[in-house]
């Protein structure tokens, strides 16, 4: 058996299951047999052709699995061990990594092996389903495995840790970047999977009031479970006016934008107090503008921070610690389960947001 089922990108609007060769394992790699993966909003951008990838590339970047084969140089792991790997798989050897920006590590990309721009490339640490074959398959090859594999604690299910590789790491990074202090008021714009994790992260960071904003009441109900104190449906109220009323005109200490639209970005800035932080998690497909009055012409001591979710085994270990100790339970976000053979149908469900879908567990 040297072939596997794999979901590949054909062209915008077309994906399909094909047979691919199981990849060979280099000295620093590990081959994972996927037990559970999922579909991300970024995969939908790829499917639609809004984010370019090579034709024939296997999509997906959120693996839970079992080590099938280890490279000769990988130490501290064993075949048959349950692990996850982050959606972001830095080498941890480039200048960018050692400068504290491993998610932006593109040092491995040059065909001749040289380190372009000292390894700095925006989003370069995102390899699965972007630069190399991804996780919506029976097997996936994990590069720089010793730096990126994290053992799953006994007793945790695949569904409990499925959010760690991307959604939880991204959402929590949004809260970390928001400079939240104990007692802060925080607004989180959009309560999809990433926004829900940002809400949970804001609670863990010590926010005293979390205002969750979305247009879907079932997602707002889930936001309450994740730690939101107040929920606002943008179809029912002017959210900027309402947030300013709730804060007595002062504005929130931090805004987290988790959708990637120009409108929500502007709203997140409009409700921000002078000296506040806007933490941006969205993947934007159009130019953004700064509402000058709300930016105080650049004199308001505002901070705007962007992020790509952190990866690596230490990040994964910490996230699984949060789950194992019961600080958050994200398994409720897994609303549907599909076999890999039916993943095209699962894409249609997820893309059109039917049947209350949040996250889909894909089982090869």
């Amino acid at each position: 058996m040297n072939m596997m089922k794999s979901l590949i990108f054909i062209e915008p609007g077309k994906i399909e299951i094909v047979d691919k060769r199981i990849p060979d394992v280099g000295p620093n790699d590990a081959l994972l047999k996927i037990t559970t993966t999922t579909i991300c909003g970024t995969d939908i951008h790829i499917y639609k052709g809004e984010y370019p990838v090579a034709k024939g590339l296997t999509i997906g970047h959120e693996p839970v699995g079992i080590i099938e084969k280890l490279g000769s140089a990988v130490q501290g792991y064993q075949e048959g061990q349950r692990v996850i790997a982050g959606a972001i798989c830095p080498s941890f050897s480039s200048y960018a990594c050692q400068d504290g920006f491993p998610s932006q590590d593109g040092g491995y990309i040059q065909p001749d092996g040289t380190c372009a721009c000292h390894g700095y490339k925006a989003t370069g640490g995102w390899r699965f389903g972007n630069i190399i074959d991804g996780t919506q398959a029976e097997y996936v090859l994990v590069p720089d495995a010793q730096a990126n594999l994290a053992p799953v604690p006994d007793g945790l299910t695949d569904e409990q840790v499925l959010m760690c590789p991307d959604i939880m790491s991204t959402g929590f990074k949004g809260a970390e970047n928001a400079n939240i202090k104990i007692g802060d008021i925080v607004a989180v714009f959009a309560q999809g999977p990433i926004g829900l994790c940002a809400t949970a992260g804001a609670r863990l960071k010590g926010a005293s009031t979390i205002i969750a904003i979305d247009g879907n009441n079932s997602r707002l109900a889930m936001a309450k479970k994740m730690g939101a104190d107040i929920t606002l449906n943008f179809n029912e109220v002017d959210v900027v006016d309402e947030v300013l009323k709730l804060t007595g005109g002062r504005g929130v200490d931090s805004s987290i934008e988790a959708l990637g639209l120009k409108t929500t970005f502007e709203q997140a800035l409009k409700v921000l107090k002078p000296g506040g932080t806007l933490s941006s998690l969205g993947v934007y497909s159009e130019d953004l503008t700064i509402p000058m009055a709300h930016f105080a012409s650049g004199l308001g001591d505002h901070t705007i921070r962007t992020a790509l979710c952190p990866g690596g085994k230490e990040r994964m270990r910490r996230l699984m610690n949060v789950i194992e100790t019961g600080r958050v339970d994200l398994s409720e976000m897994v609303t549907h389960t599909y076999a890999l053979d039916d993943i095209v149908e699962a894409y249609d469900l997820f893309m059109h947001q039917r049947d209350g879908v949040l996250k889909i567990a894909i089982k090869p």
Side-chain angles (χ1 to χ4, degrees), residues 304-319:
I304 299 175
R305 297 189 67 181
T306 63
L308 176 62
C309 76
K313 63 185 179 185
E314 173 62 4
R315 176 69 169 185
M316 297 300 106
R317 182 191 70 81
R318 287 176 176 269
L319 295 178

Side-chain angles (χ1 to χ4, degrees), residues 47-265:
Y47 171 79
K48 292 179 176 179
E50 296 169 349
Y51 184 91
V53 300
K55 292 182 179 180
L57 186 77
T58 302
I59 312 172
H61 50 262
E62 296 160 276
V64 184
I66 296 169
I67 298 174
E68 181 81 7
K69 187 175 181 181
L70 284 170
S72 58
V74 182
Q75 300 179 357
Y77 301 88
Q78 58 188 8
E79 292 174 1
Q81 188 174 18
R82 284 183 71 220
V83 293
I84 62 173
I88 308 303
C89 288
S91 68
F92 289 99
S93 62
S94 73
Y95 288 92
C97 290
Q98 294 188 26
D99 192 28
F101 296 98
S103 296
Q104 316 305 332
D105 169 25
Y108 60 87
I109 290 176
Q110 291 286 85
D112 62 2
T114 60
C115 189
C117 301
H118 301 287
Y120 290 89
K121 183 177 187 336
T123 74
W126 171 29
R127 300 201 230 181
F128 292 139
N130 182 24
I131 303 295
I132 63 174
D133 278 339
T135 64
Q136 291 168 11
E138 292 181 288
Y139 295 89
V140 69
L141 191 72
V142 180
D144 297 298
Q146 192 160 330
N148 288 297
L149 290 180
V152 177
D154 293 339
L156 292 185
T157 66
D158 282 14
E159 284 73 15
Q160 283 178 291
V161 301
L162 183 57
M163 303 303 141
C164 295
D166 181 2
I167 300 304
M168 184 181 183
S169 187
T170 300
F172 276 31
K173 184 62 174 175
E176 290 161 339
N177 273 1
N179 296 323
I180 297 168
K181 300 186 292 293
I182 292 172
D184 274 354
I185 302 174
V186 179
V188 184
F189 286 80
Q191 294 297 305
I194 287 176
L196 289 168
C197 288
T199 295
R203 182 186 182 201
L204 289 173
K205 290 287 288 181
S208 62
T209 304
I210 300 170
I211 306 167
I213 299 156
D214 201 276
N216 183 309
N217 284 326
S218 65
R219 292 189 172 198
L220 291 173
M222 182 66 74
K224 284 277 192 178
K225 295 181 180 180
M226 293 295 119
D229 301 285
I230 299 167
T231 58
L232 300 177
N233 187 319
F234 61 71
N235 293 311
E236 299 171 359
V237 297
D238 183 314
V239 295
V240 172
D241 286 349
E242 197 65 26
V243 170
L244 292 176
K245 287 177 187 174
L246 289 167
T247 58
R250 171 178 173 271
V252 297
D253 298 287
S254 303
S255 291
I256 302 173
E257 198 287 310
L259 186 58
L261 294 180
K262 176 181 175 181
T263 301
T264 47
F265 179 86

